[in-house]
Amino acid sequence: MLTRRTFAAAVIAALAMPTLAAAQATTPSAATIERQLEAAPRVKLRPNQRVTIREFKRRPDLRRMARSIDIQSINFAFGSAAISSSQYDKIENIADALQRILRRDRGARVLIEGHTDAVGSFQSNQILSEQRAASLKRTLVREFGVPRYALETVGYGEEFLLVQTQNENWRNRRVTLRRFDDFIR
């Protein structure tokens, strides 16, 4: 049963954050995700310049060169890495794009990067970002049949903020899909 206090809190929250709800509700289409991850590489590395996946994860200079797309629409509860089934329609766009790419190129590999905002300790944000990336991978594999071999995960916590603030900002809580097969030995 809704009390006046609960109802008032819900109304205030809705009025205070209308852009948050609208912005996070928009997920790129499968075609947009596919186009971004299939675009011509910004840089073509020679075979002797290629690195291991571990090195790729640690080198922001290489990651910036890779084809990528930020997905800000997957809503995680504060401090949680769980993905509810209400988010599956958004994840389906990602799965559809990845499956089409993999049908054309079985060697395609995508890094799922987890990011958080700067609220909380550096360590807790690091762990949370790793858990969120792993949660998305698990959902893509178990619920949508994306091959496990095609996905890697990494968490960057609050290290690469889109909006430089120590306050809560939904734009910083995101996953990035980054195509890395052109960079790996």
Side-chain angles (χ1 to χ4, degrees), residues 143-163:
E143 301 298 328
F144 296 97
V146 175
R148 180 178 303 281
Y149 73 83
L151 304 172
E152 285 282 335
T153 63
V154 66
Y156 291 114
E158 60 190 69
E159 192 172 350
F160 300 105
L161 298 174
L162 289 179
V163 178

Side-chain angles (χ1 to χ4, degrees), residues 47-53 55 180-185:
N48 66 336
Q49 294 175 308
R50 291 179 175 231
V51 298
T52 65
I53 181 63
E55 290 171 288
F180 67 88
D181 44 287
D182 294 329
F183 295 86
I184 305 302
R185 314 184 190 137

Side-chain angles (χ1 to χ4, degrees), residues 19 28 58 85 104 119 177:
T19 57
R58 284 192 255 160
S85 59
R104 284 191 304 279
V119 176
L177 304 177

Side-chain angles (χ1 to χ4, degrees), residues 112-125:
I112 301 171
E113 299 176 356
H115 301 273
T116 65
D117 58 25
V119 176
S121 74
F122 183 87
Q123 181 67 20
S124 65
N125 284 333

Side-chain angles (χ1 to χ4, degrees), residues 38-57:
E38 286 280 276
R42 295 179 189 135
V43 174
K44 190 79 169 169
L45 294 182
R46 293 187 302 271
N48 66 336
Q49 294 175 308
R50 291 179 175 231
V51 298
T52 65
I53 181 63
R54 187 178 183 152
E55 290 171 288
F56 182 79
K57 289 176 180 180

